[in-house]
Amino acid sequence: MRSTQEQDDEFRSSYPNYNVLDKWFSPDWDDQTRKVVRHRLEKVPPIRFFSETEAQTLAAVAERIMPQPDRTESGRIPIVPWIDEKLYEDQRDGYRYEKLPPQRQAWQKGLAAINETAGILFKGRRFVDLDAESQDAVLKRIQKGDPPGEIWKQLPSQSFFEHMLLKNVVKTYYMHPIAWNEIGYNGPSSPRGHVRIWEDGLDPWEAQEEARRR
Amino acid sequence: MTQQDQIMAGWSLSAPGIHGGRVPMRDWSREEVDVCVVGAGASGGVVGAKLAEAGFSVVILDAGPHWDPMSDFISDEHASTKLFWTDERITGGNDPVELGSNNSGRGVGGSTVHYSMVALRAHPHHFRRRTLEGSIEDADHRDWPLAFEDLEPYYEEVEEELQIAGPTFYPWGKPRRRRYPQREHELNASANVLVRGCAKLGIPVAPSPIATLSAPHEDRPPCVYRGFCNFGCTTNAKSSILVTYIPRAIRAGAEIRGNAMVARITHDSHGRATGVLHFRKGSDELFQQRAKSVIVAGYAIESPRLLLNSAGSLFPEGLANSSGRVGKYFMVQSSEQVYAKFTERINQYKAPPPGGAITEHFNRTMPGVGFVGGYTIEVIGPHPVDFVAKMATGRGLWGEGLRREMLDYNCFSGLGMVGAVMSNVNNEVKLHETEQDQYGLPVSHVIFSYHDNDKRLIKHAREKMTEILQAAGGEDVWSDHRMAHLFGTCRMGLDPDDSVVNVDCRAHDVPNLFICDGSVFPNSTGVNPSLTIQALAARTADRICDMARRGEL
Ligand SMILES: Cc1cc2nc3c(=O)[nH]c(=O)nc-3n(C[C@H](O)[C@H](O)[C@H](O)COP(=O)(O)OP(=O)(O)OC[C@H]3O[C@@H](n4cnc5c(N)ncnc54)[C@H](O)[C@@H]3O)c2cc1C
């Protein structure tokens, strides 16, 4: 296990003093955007679609896809609640790969299949009980398309991994202001726009770097 | 007429004004209109507005809401999902097309509400591909039944209405007879990268023509480079259909009916269209809109789906489908994207995503490359949610590595291609056998596989984009597959046995039915399609006026 110091360094942002929410009352934020982001920050939805086991499995998977070891429980970007809400409300994406079942079924089957694969590869253990390295080993087999397990015979694992798991987890992470801070994203900008649009050009309200990583 | 006059004259509805508030609008729901347009997007808006101004009674129906740009558009990626067509579609074939946010809009303004505004004319050779390229195995690309010169005045007309901002001299395509209505936009960092790379390699590059204002026009202000163009413009600088042709249509007495999903086109025993049946939000009831002519403008998936869903005893295979071509020859454009990391800050979220620069140097059949057709190279500027999904899927990256890479989000710059794709009868939009949407209508089943020619073209483009980024100083180059823009499923042609509409976008089988959106393209060009779709719609409106004058409707 690495020290907390090492983990902090690994995800050290070039913008440690930047907080996009400081601009809440600036001309970058209009009312409708404030409303949406306030909701995102304050009204994290309850789990209504997933079973407890499914939610726990997904939380563990999400922690491997977008790890947040540097954050306390309350400081983390919530991932599972938003995916759960999408499924609870059955918000579709506008397309579904022929070989995948409707999204709700795909998620239920996929999460069960992850545990099945974990059990086969690691002596009957559940995904949540594995260490990070073993969890990654399970996910890599799924990503590669050759995970052991019966359920995957009805669900193409590569497609499920890429189009459902991966995309949804990473998109949920980067829709959060904490993620915007970390990467120095300007965030909302309405009605104010930008003037200095060239290389290294920065308007005064954009994220200023403390130390360039590269 | 003043607004007061309109209200006095019985304009009993209202629609969102583009600067907030509401404007009076006529109600045509109880009457038989001259023209009913299905879809208020790039094509529907243009044809509907022009016909209303020519004196026809017009209603334009759209499945999605009538947006109020002052309050509905949100400066946030996730919250903008509502702009896209997110009803289920099943996608298959060897190269299944990712639809949704990547490909189609829903709501008044259609896909132009969130499109990237690159406003290019097709080249004269794009209209004659079969003649110039000859027959190619497993492909069925066709000449258009019209020539560039037939569309040229209409390109000029829509460029004027949209106030396209472009350079005084644009080096590709047929030389322009007039300059662009507005001056070119400033280049952003990603556009500078393209220019730098091209200059090093000796590839000609130019400012890009873009449909957002660089100077005030009428009641709309110039672009302030917010960079949220793909999520709806909150300042009205962007020349979407919502803020250009739609207000014109309303002023001329058209009704724009949002949240109205057309389920079927009805016809009489003589095979003439009589109107449409549609659902309205919050009701399971089917409403009828009677019309003397129907124009379908729902884009290349919904248009054929609607025709197929309108099958009846006279038209057992679907309306206007005696040729069996409705839904066939579905095409996209290849839109591979390539990214690289730079030592400078690029901040790709700033300014319109096309950045302001373009090269059409490869937009032609090139000798010795092993494929026909060409492509443009454009600048792109994804925000983090979109960008991370590309990086994760394009590189198969996740975990600590992905989160670390994303810390450099501000240093990435990207290029995207818009490439011609061969048409093939096996690529199609058909009705799914079992799945239905929220209205109980069969959903679309979209089948697509690339032709070998397409794959070679994409490879060439990926290599060129990589070279350009590297020449500009980029490192760690990676790419992501993407397809964009939809065509071909109601193709136009001279032969009624081999095409769905004629040169005037009139259905061969149903004299008072027109289809005038992206689905009529007989081949995909090497340029972004909207301007051509809009020019074609503008021409169709004029042709309908001519036909009406001659009593041919
Ligand atoms: C992210 C993105 C970026 C793009 N960038 C560019 C670009 O830079 N340049 C360019 O030239 N093109 C671009 N395009 C493509 C361009 O937006 C489309 O090609 C163009 O808008 C298609 O015009 P259309 O009239 O055929 O359909 P649309 O503009 O999509 O309009 C169709 C409308 O019909 C409605 N509709 C469909 N079916 C029904 C029904 N049954 N009942 C009622 N209403 C219905 C829909 O709700 C929709 O509003 C982009 C597209 C996307 C998605």
Side-chain angles (χ1 to χ4, degrees):
Chain A
M1 201 59 203
R2 287 166 307 159
S3 71
T4 325
Q5 183 55 45
E6 273 171 335
Q7 288 177 348
D8 282 354
D9 281 356
E10 180 163 34
F11 301 123
R12 197 175 60 215
S13 162
S14 309
Y15 318 91
N17 298 318
Y18 173 66
N19 185 353
V20 66
L21 298 177
D22 290 344
K23 294 187 275 191
W24 190 267
F25 292 110
S26 78
D28 272 338
W29 288 65
D30 56 23
D31 288 343
Q32 57 267 40
T33 306
R34 278 195 281 257
K35 193 169 151 201
V36 160
V37 177
R38 167 169 293 147
H39 184 91
R40 194 169 298 161
L41 292 168
E42 294 174 1
K43 300 254 158 51
V44 177
I47 304 297
R48 289 164 293 181
F49 174 77
F50 289 128
S51 70
E52 206 175 314
T53 312
E54 286 163 353
Q56 282 168 356
T57 308
L58 179 55
V61 171
E63 181 58 22
R64 292 317 306 145
I65 292 180
M66 282 315 296
Q68 306 184 52
D70 50 331
R71 300 199 173 115
T72 61
E73 200 48 49
S74 62
R76 273 160 182 273
I77 297 177
I79 307 281
V80 182
W82 299 108
I83 297 178
D84 183 88
E85 182 178 73
K86 178 177 194 295
L87 295 168
Y88 178 75
E89 293 176 357
D90 206 13
Q91 305 157 14
R92 305 282 175 110
D93 300 314
Y95 61 100
R96 187 176 103 219
Y97 291 90
E98 208 172 53
K99 297 194 177 75
L100 288 176
Q103 61 169 3
R104 288 179 166 180
Q105 276 177 40
W107 278 95
Q108 282 168 333
K109 278 200 177 136
L111 291 170
I114 289 172
N115 268 325
E116 190 190 8
T117 302
I120 296 170
L121 293 178
F122 297 100
K123 303 193 189 110
R125 289 162 72 191
R126 300 179 312 162
F127 187 83
V128 286
D129 297 329
L130 301 178
D131 60 23
E133 210 174 311
S134 312
Q135 288 180 331
D136 285 359
V138 172
L139 294 176
K140 278 181 191 148
R141 292 288 293 270
I142 295 169
Q143 181 180 25
K144 258 181 44 208
D146 68 344
E150 281 305 300
I151 308 176
W152 294 119
K153 290 182 180 149
Q154 305 154 33
L155 184 74
S157 79
Q158 252 175 332
S159 201
F160 173 73
F161 183 86
E162 177 172 331
H163 300 298
M164 310 203 94
L165 266 186
L166 186 57
K167 266 190 208 162
N168 282 289
V169 170
V170 302
K171 286 176 139 187
T172 305
Y173 182 91
Y174 286 99
M175 74 181 198
H176 200 282
I178 294 177
W180 301 345
N181 291 342
E182 160 175 87
I183 63 174
Y185 172 55
N186 187 66
S189 82
S190 174
R192 178 164 64 183
H194 291 284
V195 179
R196 297 160 186 85
I197 61 175
W198 49 86
E199 297 93 309
D200 282 334
L202 281 188
D203 289 322
W205 54 88
E206 293 188 74
Q208 310 287 329
E209 276 159 299
E210 297 305 309
R212 184 152 300 189
R213 289 166 42 85
R214 297 166 36 74
Chain B
M1 271 206 282
T2 65
Q3 289 200 354
Q4 196 57 39
D5 295 339
Q6 292 166 345
I7 294 166
M8 296 301 287
W11 291 31
S12 53
L13 298 176
S14 71
I18 71 169
H19 302 291
R22 305 204 49 102
V23 296
M25 182 168 74
R26 282 189 84 143
D27 178 358
W28 289 108
S29 60
R30 286 171 202 82
E31 284 162 73
E32 180 182 46
V33 287
D34 294 325
V35 180
C36 171
V37 183
V38 182
S43 52
V46 173
V47 74
K50 285 192 70 172
L51 290 176
E53 286 171 350
F56 292 85
S57 54
V58 174
V59 56
I60 310 180
L61 309 184
D62 201 285
H66 194 144
W67 306 113
D68 176 343
M70 293 294 104
S71 58
D72 287 333
F73 298 154
I74 295 164
S75 214
D76 180 84
E77 286 181 86
H78 180 70
S80 303
T81 315
K82 64 181 183 188
L83 302 179
F84 309 125
W85 191 283
T86 53
D87 288 356
E88 196 97 301
R89 288 162 169 171
I90 311 297
T91 180
N94 298 337
D95 303 285
V97 182
E98 188 178 317
L99 299 159
S101 63
N102 207 29
N103 270 306
S104 28
R106 183 170 166 278
V108 175
S111 307
T112 70
V113 166
H114 67 261
Y115 84 148
S116 296
M117 310 171 295
V118 178
L120 302 178
R121 298 175 174 191
H123 299 198
H125 63 80
H126 288 139
F127 297 85
R128 303 176 56 225
R129 286 195 63 181
R130 182 57 170 254
T131 305
L132 297 173
E133 292 160 9
S135 87
I136 291 175
E137 208 180 325
D138 294 327
D140 194 0
H141 56 310
R142 291 298 161 99
D143 289 353
W144 291 52
L146 45 70
F148 175 86
E149 284 66 26
D150 295 310
L151 277 190
E152 191 172 18
Y154 295 100
Y155 277 128
E156 289 169 350
E157 180 182 314
V158 295
E159 282 171 349
E160 192 61 32
E161 171 62 20
L162 303 176
Q163 290 288 298
I164 306 300
T168 34
F169 173 70
Y170 188 71
W172 299 285
K174 187 177 172 209
R176 302 175 57 80
R177 301 191 292 201
R178 320 182 203 155
R179 62 162 296 182
Y180 282 105
Q182 294 210 338
R183 65 172 181 256
E184 68 204 42
H185 283 279
E186 197 173 342
L187 307 196
N188 73 2
S190 289
N192 284 331
V193 164
L194 174 64
V195 171
R196 217 157 66 210
C198 285
K200 268 248 175 81
L201 299 170
I203 299 169
V205 59
S208 179
I210 309 180
T212 186
L213 303 180
S214 58
H217 176 67
E218 293 176 355
D219 56 350
R220 298 192 293 125
C223 178
V224 293
Y225 303 150
R226 293 175 51 238
F228 275 84
C229 319
N230 292 137
F231 313 103
C233 181
T234 56
T235 65
N236 288 325
K238 175 177 185 170
S239 296
S240 72
I241 287 293
L242 177 67
V243 304
T244 54
Y245 283 92
I246 292 297
R248 266 174 62 176
I250 294 173
R251 270 197 303 275
E255 177 191 343
I256 314 295
R257 197 175 300 156
N259 294 318
M261 170 69 184
V262 176
R264 217 163 36 242
I265 299 166
T266 52
H267 59 80
D268 63 17
S269 57
H270 306 292
R272 286 181 63 88
T274 52
V276 302
L277 292 173
H278 59 289
F279 291 100
R280 302 192 70 166
K281 199 179 179 175
S283 165
D284 301 337
E285 211 181 315
L286 267 178
F287 293 84
Q288 167 137 54
Q289 174 65 54
R290 287 175 299 131
K292 295 198 181 89
S293 294
V294 173
I295 302 179
V296 180
Y299 209 7
I301 293 179
E302 292 312 311
S303 289
R305 177 180 176 220
L306 176 59
L307 296 175
L308 296 173
N309 274 334
S310 301
S313 53
L314 277 183
F315 301 102
E317 302 304 321
L319 196 60
N321 194 21
S322 68
S323 64
R325 295 299 192 245
V326 169
K328 302 285 187 197
Y329 305 105
F330 170 69
M331 285 170 280
V332 295
Q333 285 177 320
S334 45
S335 317
E336 190 96 354
Q337 301 187 336
V338 181
Y339 293 87
K341 214 191 274 186
F342 288 80
T343 47
E344 301 98 329
R345 264 180 82 170
I346 303 292
N347 299 331
Q348 48 178 338
Y349 52 80
K350 284 194 273 188
I358 189 168
T359 175
E360 287 202 55
H361 183 62
F362 306 103
N363 196 2
R364 60 200 155 97
T365 294
M366 294 166 271
V369 290
F371 60 89
V372 298
Y375 57 89
T376 66
I377 296 179
E378 301 172 7
V379 172
I380 46 186
H383 288 242
V385 172
D386 186 19
F387 183 72
V388 72
K390 291 182 200 308
M391 183 139 83
T393 57
R395 297 169 71 174
L397 194 59
W398 47 276
E400 284 86 1
L402 178 62
R403 198 173 147 205
R404 258 195 324 265
E405 271 298 272
M406 276 300 288
L407 292 172
D408 291 330
Y409 165 72
N410 282 338
C411 294
F412 283 95
S413 186
L415 298 175
M417 69 181 291
V418 172
V421 152
M422 298 315 279
S423 94
N424 178 322
V425 69
N426 297 321
N427 291 334
E428 63 174 322
V429 174
K430 53 187 178 180
L431 298 180
H432 195 272
E433 285 172 10
T434 52
E435 304 248 349
Q436 297 182 338
D437 69 4
Q438 48 172 315
Y439 307 100
L441 302 169
V443 307
S444 303
H445 191 169
V446 182
I447 309 288
F448 184 78
S449 308
Y450 275 129
H451 190 274
D452 280 343
N453 190 81
D454 305 335
K455 292 182 190 165
R456 289 193 287 267
L457 186 148
I458 294 168
K459 181 164 174 285
H460 191 269
R462 194 191 304 126
E463 286 165 7
K464 288 296 164 200
M465 292 190 284
T466 302
E467 284 170 30
I468 292 170
L469 287 170
Q470 285 171 338
E475 287 168 13
D476 305 344
V477 180
W478 53 275
S479 63
D480 188 35
H481 299 298
R482 188 172 173 268
M483 301 172 198
H485 311 149
L486 315 167
F487 316 95
T489 49
C490 300
R491 73 177 179 188
M492 61 158 59
L494 301 174
D495 180 357
D497 292 330
D498 190 39
S499 57
V500 180
V501 297
N502 71 12
V503 60
D504 297 330
C505 292
R506 187 180 201 172
H508 290 302
D509 299 348
V510 184
N512 63 340
L513 177 70
F514 295 80
I515 301 151
C516 82
D517 56 42
S519 53
V520 304
F521 283 35
N523 63 47
S524 79
T525 68
V527 299
N528 313 52
S530 298
L531 202 70
T532 303
I533 293 174
Q534 290 162 326
L536 205 57
R539 179 179 184 276
T540 303
D542 280 5
R543 301 296 297 127
I544 290 175
C545 291
D546 290 347
M547 288 177 228
R549 253 194 304 276
R550 292 198 302 260
E552 287 172 12
L553 277 181

